[in-house]
Amino acid sequence: MKKDNMVLIHGDDPKKLEELYQKDPALFRKHYEEALPLWEDSAIKTVWMERLYYEFENGMKPHEEKKKLLPFHLFKILGLAIGSGIAGRLLFPLIVDQKIASVNIVFGIFLFLSIYFLSEYKPAKRISILVLLLFFLSGVYLNLLPLENRDSIILAYLHFPVWLWMLLGAAYTGDRFMDHDARVSYIKFQVEFALLYGAMAIGGILVTGMTLQLFSMIGMEISEFYFENVVLFGAVGLTVVAAGLAARERGFSGNASAHLSKIFSPIVLLTLIAFVFFVVSSNKNPFMDRDFLLIYNGVLLFVLAITMFFVLETSPTGKNLLFSMIHTVLISLTLLLDSLGLSAILFRLAAFGVTANRLAVLGLNLIVWIHLASILVASFQFLRKKKQKVQLAAAVVRFLPVYGLWAALVVFAFPIFFTY
């Protein structure tokens, strides 16, 4: 425990302790309570005791402290948002004219988000330099790829966002990249980001509709100008704004995400059961129907993503045992479907030979299968109370870097080794 406990490691460094608390108050409290029996008495220990329990005694929810959005942070967020929006607006005409790949928009968004997290959380300089260097090299490589409809190139474009997502995770977690708690925090941040960005997007859609209607009433058609210069700019720039607010207002959507998990996990389970019956009763055959196999794998990846969200929102208390069981059944069904998909891919490889598409799908399905199997084992042990919630969460996030590394392999190696 001492090896992984950040409070014990930095117990004599008040500045570092404050940084840890500001980054993730809930994780800091967990480490603080674990450290209490081993932490020698000191003024720092006493100050944190008074600070944490003063919040509790005065009616505040422990460690849901809202960070004030100070002017400096506000200007930083707005500056990066404007820069991101301008980059998106400049790249868009080049994408329309097919001079660069459309994934460059995603690259720009992830780059600005990473700059925000590196400046906000200030990891070791070597980590910041490495993340930015990898972004630079990835951007150069991306635009050196030929704009051709070869399978290996298309696969590289499809996997590129996953590789960038891992680099963004490295910027977010910084010095704690190997810490499972930091990875859980990264996943939960993305849920909060998605909810906040979705709310902003709905507001943007309403404002856009109102604006276009108002100008149409006076005989002015501004839709093309508005979409190119306002909607595109706003859609890209708001990613930084939503990320900044979600990171600094940590925990604001905690209840919302928990309720979403309770509402949608039974719905997803019933949908998946219906899908299993459809696969069994229909003439669709993933062993022979290539298009159906691709759709089939898309469904699996979607279910895996939302299952991870459901499991991370599982409460360790007995009152949510029903939902824990639902999640376990959902994981079991997904694992069964992935086994079928894996068999279909192996069959097509043996029958029709190796191609870039088949090899990419095979590698991804193997990773998903191992990931699901490890989550399922941890879920059963959690239900039998042989594992705690933190161990179940660790099983969910342990494989996340593997997806990024596999994406990197597809992005950087497949266009070289496959010429079709």
Side-chain angles (χ1 to χ4, degrees), residues 112-144:
F112 278 92
L113 290 177
S114 295
I115 292 172
Y116 169 74
F117 288 130
L118 291 174
S119 65
E120 180 73 6
Y121 296 143
K122 297 179 176 61
K125 286 186 178 180
R126 67 181 186 278
I127 294 177
S128 297
I129 293 172
L130 179 61
V131 170
L132 293 176
L133 180 62
L134 288 174
F135 261 103
F136 173 76
L137 295 176
S138 298
V140 171
Y141 172 83
L142 170 66
N143 289 286
L144 288 176

Coordinates of all heavy atoms in Angstrom, one line a residue, residues 112-144:
F112 N -5.0 20.3 -28.6 CA -5.3 21.4 -27.7 C -5.8 20.9 -26.3 O -5.5 21.5 -25.3 CB -6.4 22.3 -28.4 CG -5.8 23.2 -29.4 CD1 -5.7 22.9 -30.7 CD2 -5.3 24.5 -28.9 CE1 -5.2 23.8 -31.6 CE2 -4.8 25.4 -29.9 CZ -4.7 25.0 -31.2
L113 N -6.6 19.8 -26.3 CA -7.0 19.2 -25.0 C -5.7 18.8 -24.2 O -5.7 19.0 -23.0 CB -7.9 18.1 -25.2 CG -9.3 18.4 -25.7 CD1 -10.1 17.1 -26.0 CD2 -10.0 19.3 -24.8
S114 N -4.8 18.2 -24.9 CA -3.6 17.7 -24.2 C -2.8 18.9 -23.7 O -2.2 18.8 -22.6 CB -2.7 16.8 -25.2 OG -3.4 15.7 -25.5
I115 N -2.7 19.9 -24.5 CA -2.0 21.1 -24.0 C -2.6 21.7 -22.7 O -1.9 22.1 -21.8 CB -1.9 22.2 -25.1 CG1 -1.0 21.7 -26.3 CG2 -1.4 23.5 -24.6 CD1 -1.1 22.6 -27.5
Y116 N -4.0 21.7 -22.7 CA -4.7 22.1 -21.5 C -4.3 21.3 -20.3 O -4.0 21.8 -19.2 CB -6.2 22.1 -21.8 CG -6.9 22.4 -20.5 CD1 -7.0 23.6 -19.9 CD2 -7.5 21.3 -19.8 CE1 -7.6 23.9 -18.7 CE2 -8.2 21.5 -18.6 CZ -8.2 22.8 -18.1 OH -8.9 23.0 -16.9
F117 N -4.4 20.0 -20.4 CA -4.1 19.1 -19.3 C -2.7 19.2 -18.8 O -2.4 19.2 -17.6 CB -4.5 17.7 -19.6 CG -6.0 17.4 -19.7 CD1 -6.5 16.8 -20.8 CD2 -6.8 17.9 -18.7 CE1 -7.9 16.6 -20.8 CE2 -8.2 17.7 -18.7 CZ -8.7 17.0 -19.8
L118 N -1.7 19.3 -19.8 CA -0.3 19.4 -19.4 C -0.1 20.7 -18.6 O 0.7 20.7 -17.7 CB 0.6 19.3 -20.6 CG 0.6 17.9 -21.3 CD1 1.4 18.0 -22.6 CD2 1.2 16.9 -20.4
S119 N -0.7 21.8 -19.1 CA -0.6 23.1 -18.4 C -1.3 23.1 -17.1 O -0.9 23.8 -16.1 CB -1.0 24.2 -19.3 OG -2.4 24.1 -19.5
E120 N -2.4 22.4 -17.0 CA -3.2 22.4 -15.8 C -2.6 21.5 -14.7 O -2.5 21.9 -13.5 CB -4.6 21.9 -16.1 CG -5.6 21.9 -14.9 CD -6.0 23.3 -14.5 OE1 -5.7 24.3 -15.1 OE2 -6.7 23.4 -13.4
Y121 N -2.2 20.3 -15.0 CA -1.7 19.3 -14.0 C -0.2 19.3 -13.8 O 0.3 18.7 -12.9 CB -2.2 17.9 -14.3 CG -3.7 17.9 -14.3 CD1 -4.4 17.1 -15.2 CD2 -4.5 18.6 -13.4 CE1 -5.8 17.0 -15.2 CE2 -5.9 18.5 -13.4 CZ -6.5 17.7 -14.3 OH -7.9 17.6 -14.3
K122 N 0.5 19.9 -14.8 CA 2.0 20.1 -14.7 C 2.7 18.8 -14.2 O 3.3 18.7 -13.2 CB 2.3 21.2 -13.7 CG 1.8 22.5 -14.1 CD 2.1 23.6 -13.1 CE 1.7 25.0 -13.6 NZ 0.2 25.1 -13.8
P123 N 2.7 17.7 -15.1 CA 3.5 16.5 -14.8 C 4.9 16.8 -15.0 O 5.3 17.9 -15.3 CB 3.0 15.5 -15.8 CG 2.5 16.4 -17.0 CD 2.0 17.6 -16.4
A124 N 5.8 15.8 -14.7 CA 7.2 15.9 -14.9 C 7.5 16.4 -16.3 O 6.8 16.0 -17.3 CB 7.9 14.6 -14.6
K125 N 8.5 17.2 -16.5 CA 8.8 17.8 -17.8 C 9.1 16.7 -18.9 O 8.7 16.9 -20.0 CB 10.1 18.7 -17.7 CG 9.8 20.0 -17.0 CD 11.0 20.9 -17.0 CE 10.7 22.3 -16.4 NZ 11.9 23.2 -16.4
R126 N 9.7 15.6 -18.5 CA 10.0 14.6 -19.5 C 8.7 14.0 -20.0 O 8.6 13.7 -21.2 CB 10.8 13.5 -18.8 CG 10.1 12.7 -17.7 CD 11.0 11.6 -17.1 NE 10.3 10.8 -16.2 CZ 10.1 11.1 -14.9 NH1 10.5 12.3 -14.5 NH2 9.4 10.3 -14.1
I127 N 7.6 14.0 -19.2 CA 6.3 13.4 -19.7 C 5.7 14.4 -20.6 O 5.2 14.1 -21.7 CB 5.4 13.1 -18.5 CG1 6.0 12.0 -17.6 CG2 4.0 12.8 -19.0 CD1 5.2 11.7 -16.4
S128 N 5.7 15.7 -20.3 CA 5.2 16.7 -21.1 C 5.9 16.8 -22.5 O 5.2 16.8 -23.5 CB 5.3 18.1 -20.5 OG 4.5 18.2 -19.3
I129 N 7.2 16.7 -22.4 CA 8.0 16.7 -23.7 C 7.7 15.5 -24.5 O 7.5 15.6 -25.7 CB 9.5 16.8 -23.4 CG1 9.8 18.2 -22.7 CG2 10.3 16.6 -24.6 CD1 11.2 18.3 -22.2
L130 N 7.6 14.3 -23.9 CA 7.3 13.1 -24.6 C 5.9 13.1 -25.3 O 5.8 12.8 -26.4 CB 7.4 11.9 -23.7 CG 7.2 10.5 -24.3 CD1 8.1 10.2 -25.4 CD2 7.2 9.4 -23.2
V131 N 4.9 13.6 -24.5 CA 3.6 13.6 -25.1 C 3.5 14.6 -26.3 O 3.0 14.2 -27.3 CB 2.6 14.1 -24.0 CG1 1.2 14.4 -24.6 CG2 2.4 13.0 -22.9
L132 N 4.1 15.8 -26.1 CA 4.0 16.7 -27.2 C 4.9 16.3 -28.4 O 4.5 16.5 -29.6 CB 4.6 18.1 -26.7 CG 3.7 18.8 -25.7 CD1 4.3 20.1 -25.2 CD2 2.3 19.1 -26.3
L133 N 6.0 15.6 -28.1 CA 6.8 15.1 -29.2 C 6.1 14.0 -30.0 O 6.1 14.0 -31.2 CB 8.1 14.5 -28.7 CG 9.1 13.9 -29.7 CD1 9.5 15.0 -30.7 CD2 10.3 13.3 -29.0
L134 N 5.4 13.1 -29.3 CA 4.6 12.1 -29.9 C 3.4 12.7 -30.7 O 3.1 12.2 -31.8 CB 4.1 11.1 -28.9 CG 5.1 10.1 -28.3 CD1 4.5 9.3 -27.1 CD2 5.7 9.2 -29.3
F135 N 2.8 13.7 -30.2 CA 1.8 14.4 -31.0 C 2.4 15.0 -32.3 O 1.8 14.8 -33.4 CB 1.2 15.5 -30.2 CG -0.1 15.2 -29.6 CD1 -0.2 14.9 -28.2 CD2 -1.3 15.1 -30.3 CE1 -1.4 14.5 -27.6 CE2 -2.5 14.8 -29.7 CZ -2.6 14.5 -28.4
F136 N 3.5 15.6 -32.2 CA 4.2 16.2 -33.4 C 4.5 15.2 -34.4 O 4.2 15.3 -35.6 CB 5.4 17.0 -32.9 CG 6.3 17.5 -34.1 CD1 5.9 18.6 -34.8 CD2 7.4 16.8 -34.5 CE1 6.6 19.1 -35.9 CE2 8.2 17.3 -35.5 CZ 7.8 18.4 -36.2
L137 N 5.2 14.1 -34.0 CA 5.6 13.0 -34.9 C 4.3 12.4 -35.5 O 4.3 12.0 -36.7 CB 6.4 12.0 -34.2 CG 7.8 12.5 -33.7 CD1 8.5 11.4 -32.9 CD2 8.7 13.0 -34.9
S138 N 3.3 12.2 -34.7 CA 2.1 11.6 -35.2 C 1.4 12.5 -36.3 O 0.9 12.0 -37.3 CB 1.1 11.3 -34.1 OG 1.6 10.4 -33.1
G139 N 1.4 13.8 -36.0 CA 0.8 14.7 -37.0 C 1.6 14.7 -38.3 O 1.0 14.7 -39.4
V140 N 2.9 14.7 -38.2 CA 3.7 14.7 -39.4 C 3.5 13.4 -40.2 O 3.2 13.4 -41.4 CB 5.2 14.8 -39.1 CG1 6.1 14.5 -40.3 CG2 5.5 16.2 -38.5
Y141 N 3.5 12.3 -39.5 CA 3.2 10.9 -40.1 C 1.9 10.9 -40.8 O 1.7 10.4 -41.9 CB 3.4 9.8 -39.1 CG 3.0 8.5 -39.6 CD1 3.9 7.7 -40.3 CD2 1.7 8.0 -39.3 CE1 3.6 6.4 -40.8 CE2 1.4 6.7 -39.8 CZ 2.3 6.0 -40.5 OH 1.9 4.7 -41.0
L142 N 0.9 11.4 -40.1 CA -0.5 11.4 -40.6 C -0.6 12.0 -41.9 O -1.2 11.5 -42.9 CB -1.5 12.0 -39.6 CG -2.9 12.3 -40.1 CD1 -3.6 11.0 -40.3 CD2 -3.6 13.2 -39.1
N143 N 0.1 13.2 -42.1 CA 0.0 13.9 -43.3 C 1.0 13.5 -44.4 O 1.0 14.0 -45.5 CB 0.1 15.4 -43.0 CG -1.1 15.9 -42.3 OD1 -2.2 16.1 -42.9 ND2 -1.0 16.2 -41.0
L144 N 1.9 12.5 -44.0 CA 2.7 11.9 -45.0 C 2.1 10.7 -45.7 O 2.5 10.3 -46.7 CB 4.1 11.5 -44.4 CG 5.0 12.7 -44.0 CD1 6.2 12.1 -43.3 CD2 5.4 13.5 -45.2

